[in-house]
């Protein structure tokens, strides 16, 4: 993989650390700012909303600008946002700083995936995207635990100062390594980017992303009580299981990139079948501690096998103007995150037990599978009629 993609992966690692580390620092932040832990938890929601709202705004505002310049700007915006988090004097200023930081999140991964794909031959494009997202998965294994430990030892602000330093390294790396003129802007600029959103296949691809993400977060949001109340694991053991889940994400991301370069839609469909089956097995075996741990690891693998092919699918179906669509797909993932957590919570409120909650995730994954099969059938129909269809 070309060095510029590693520069993007560094920024991806920083972004992933910032997004998720705050969950481990909620007690410290709440105590320091004089708010409740649930109120501090809203900082997570604020970030997610910033991603969803900011992604299309940034993508549209930068549609006519060179891709390298946009990536340098987005990485710099991330640094500024984390600096504001580190010096925030109160709760609402911290909330505003989190939203500022999140504004560049979706656009960075959307535009970054297009740039990464443009730097390699066609048969390696999904692998290039998987390397970009590898920074995100490694953040869960290394960045979040290290950031949490640092915040507990030296105060939560120290974590954000370290992320600022890493962010500055990523800005320099992108400015130095990413070539100028990479991934040229759409010929018609903003109009061309918006025009591709008329394609039904683009929306089907983003729907699969949202549903797949919802199937994950409908269950993963409540993984701690599942593992403690159903599987009988200790709270300390849950931490190690979550690290194992993060390792599964990283492995799945690498596998997904390679499989997607081989057969894109068959990989997507196969991964969704695997996700449905993992949820079903998890529901049946959650009460057996050893089996539950194995299921969580395998779940992490299949949960991210699907990410590179879904991002690649959006870029291919929106090939005439991929930047906005690829960015919106990041928003779709985050919509799925929020929707899945809400659906899981609603199911619990209606009487679904923690052990049976994976059945909800299976239903959402099955819906995503139906959409994927329908989209693939449209491809085959278009090919049979002599129209161009996205590559398999």
């Amino acid at each position: 993989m070309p060095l510029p993609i590693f520069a993007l992966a560094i920024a991806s690692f920083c972004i992933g650390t910032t997004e998720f580390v705050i969950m481990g620092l909620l007690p410290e932040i709440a105590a320091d700012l004089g708010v409740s832990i649930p109120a501090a938890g809203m900082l997570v929601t604020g970030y997610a909303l910033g991603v969803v709202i900011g992604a299309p705004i940034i993508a549209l505002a930068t549609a006519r600008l060179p891709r390298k310049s946009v990536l340098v700007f987005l990485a710099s915006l991330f640094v500024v946002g984390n600096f504001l988090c580190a010096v925030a004097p109160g709760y609402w200023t911290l909330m505003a700083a989190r939203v500022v930081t999140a504004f560049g999140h979706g656009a960075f991964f959307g535009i970054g995936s297009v740039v990464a794909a443009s730097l390699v031959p066609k048969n390696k494009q999904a692998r290039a995207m998987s390397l970009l997202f590898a920074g995100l998965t490694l953040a869960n294994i290394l960045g979040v635990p290290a950031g949490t430990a640092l915040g507990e030892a030296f105060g939560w602000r120290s974590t954000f100062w370290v992320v600022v330093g890493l962010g500055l390294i990523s800005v320099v790396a992108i400015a130095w390594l990413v070539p100028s003129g990479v991934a040229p802007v759409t010929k018609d600029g903003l109009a061309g980017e918006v025009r591709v959103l008329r394609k039904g296949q683009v929306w089907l691809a983003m729907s699969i992303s949202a549903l797949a993400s919802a199937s994950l977060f409908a269950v993963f949001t409540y993984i701690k009580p599942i593992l403690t109340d159903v599987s009988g694991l200790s709270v300390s053991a849950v931490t190690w299981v979550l690290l194992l889940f993060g390792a599964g994400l990283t492995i799945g991301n690498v596998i997904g990139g390679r499989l997607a370069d081989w057969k894109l839609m068959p990989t997507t469909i196969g991964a969704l079948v695997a996700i449905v089956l993992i949820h079903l097995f998890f529901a049946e075996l959650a009460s057996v501690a050893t089996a539950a741990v194995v299921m969580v690891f395998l779940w992490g693998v299949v949960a991210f096998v699907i990410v590179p092919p879904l991002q690649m699918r959006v870029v291919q179906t929106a090939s005439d103007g991929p930047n906005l669509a690829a960015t919106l797909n990041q928003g779709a993932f985050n919509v799925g995150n929020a929707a899945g957590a809400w659906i899981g919570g609603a199911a619990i409120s209606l009487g679904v037990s923690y052990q049976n909650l994976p059945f909800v995730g299976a239903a959402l994954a099955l819906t995503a599978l139906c959409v994927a099969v329908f989209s693939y059938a449209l491809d085959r129909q278009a090919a049979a009629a002599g129209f161009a269809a996205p590559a398999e």
Side-chain angles (χ1 to χ4, degrees), residues 287-298:
S287 59
V288 182
T290 304
V293 171
V294 173
M295 286 297 104
V296 168
F297 171 72
L298 294 177

Side-chain angles (χ1 to χ4, degrees), residues 196-212 265 268 272 310 313-314 317 329 332 367-379:
V196 298
L197 297 182
R198 298 175 185 174
K199 296 181 178 180
Q201 286 283 28
V202 175
W203 290 101
L204 287 174
M206 289 192 288
S207 297
I208 300 168
S209 297
L211 287 165
M265 283 307 290
T268 302
L272 287 169
L310 284 177
R313 176 68 173 177
V314 170
T317 55
N329 195 46
T367 306
L369 175 61
C370 292
V371 176
V373 170
F374 175 68
S375 177
Y376 190 44
L378 291 180
D379 279 356

Side-chain angles (χ1 to χ4, degrees), residues 281-335:
F281 282 122
F282 192 25
E284 293 297 326
L285 300 173
S287 59
V288 182
T290 304
V293 171
V294 173
M295 286 297 104
V296 168
F297 171 72
L298 294 177
W299 185 24
V301 173
V302 299
F304 247 68
V305 162
I306 200 169
V307 171
L310 284 177
Q311 189 70 4
M312 191 67 210
R313 176 68 173 177
V314 170
V315 170
Q316 283 192 351
T317 55
S319 57
D320 295 335
N323 296 284
L324 176 58
T327 298
L328 287 176
N329 195 46
Q330 296 305 306
F333 278 120
N334 278 270
V335 168

Side-chain angles (χ1 to χ4, degrees), residues 61-365:
T62 60
R64 292 184 177 276
L65 300 178
R67 302 296 87 187
K68 176 179 179 177
S69 300
V70 174
L71 289 172
V72 171
F73 163 73
L74 292 173
S76 301
L77 179 64
F78 166 80
V79 172
V80 171
N82 278 279
F83 170 80
L84 294 175
C85 287
V87 301
Y91 174 76
W92 289 110
T93 49
L94 179 57
M95 176 68 80
R98 288 284 290 172
V99 173
V100 168
T101 307
F103 251 57
H105 178 120
F108 181 87
F109 281 105
I111 296 171
S113 63
V114 175
V115 170
S118 72
L119 291 168
V120 297
K122 259 194 169 182
N123 64 339
K124 293 185 178 180
Q125 289 182 336
R127 268 172 281 183
M129 290 185 186
S130 73
L131 179 55
L132 168 64
F133 286 104
L136 194 62
T137 60
L138 287 173
N140 283 281
I141 303 175
L142 303 175
V144 172
T148 300
L150 183 69
E152 290 172 347
F154 300 102
W156 64 270
R157 296 178 190 273
S158 64
T159 300
F160 287 96
W161 281 118
V162 170
V163 173
V164 167
L166 292 174
L168 287 172
I169 293 174
S170 72
V171 172
V172 173
I174 293 170
W176 181 30
L177 295 174
V178 175
S180 300
V182 67
V185 297
T186 305
K187 184 183 297 184
D188 297 330
L190 178 59
E193 293 285 345
V194 173
R195 192 179 300 122
V196 298
L197 297 182
R198 298 175 185 174
K199 296 181 178 180
Q201 286 283 28
V202 175
W203 290 101
L204 287 174
M206 289 192 288
S207 297
I208 300 168
S209 297
L211 287 165
S213 183
S215 75
L216 170 63
F217 276 82
V219 184
F220 188 70
T221 304
Y222 308 96
I223 190 63
K224 188 172 183 177
I226 292 174
L227 292 175
T228 55
D229 297 358
V230 180
S231 305
L233 297 177
S234 65
V235 173
S236 59
V238 170
T239 302
W240 294 104
V241 175
L242 294 181
L243 285 175
L244 190 63
F245 180 81
L249 295 179
T250 304
I251 295 170
N253 181 58
V254 174
I255 294 172
R258 290 186 173 275
L259 290 178
D261 279 328
W262 175 53
K263 291 286 185 180
L264 182 58
M265 283 307 290
T267 295
T268 302
I269 292 170
L272 287 169
V273 170
I275 291 171
V276 172
L277 293 175
I278 287 293
H279 276 104
L280 295 178
F281 282 122
F282 192 25
E284 293 297 326
L285 300 173
S287 59
V288 182
T290 304
V293 171
V294 173
M295 286 297 104
V296 168
F297 171 72
L298 294 177
W299 185 24
V301 173
V302 299
F304 247 68
V305 162
I306 200 169
V307 171
L310 284 177
Q311 189 70 4
M312 191 67 210
R313 176 68 173 177
V314 170
V315 170
Q316 283 192 351
T317 55
S319 57
D320 295 335
N323 296 284
L324 176 58
T327 298
L328 287 176
N329 195 46
Q330 296 305 306
F333 278 120
N334 278 270
V335 168
N337 295 352
W342 181 85
I343 291 170
I348 293 169
S349 299
L350 291 173
V352 176
S353 67
Y354 285 127
Q355 179 160 359
N356 290 330
L357 193 58
F359 287 122
V360 176
L364 290 166

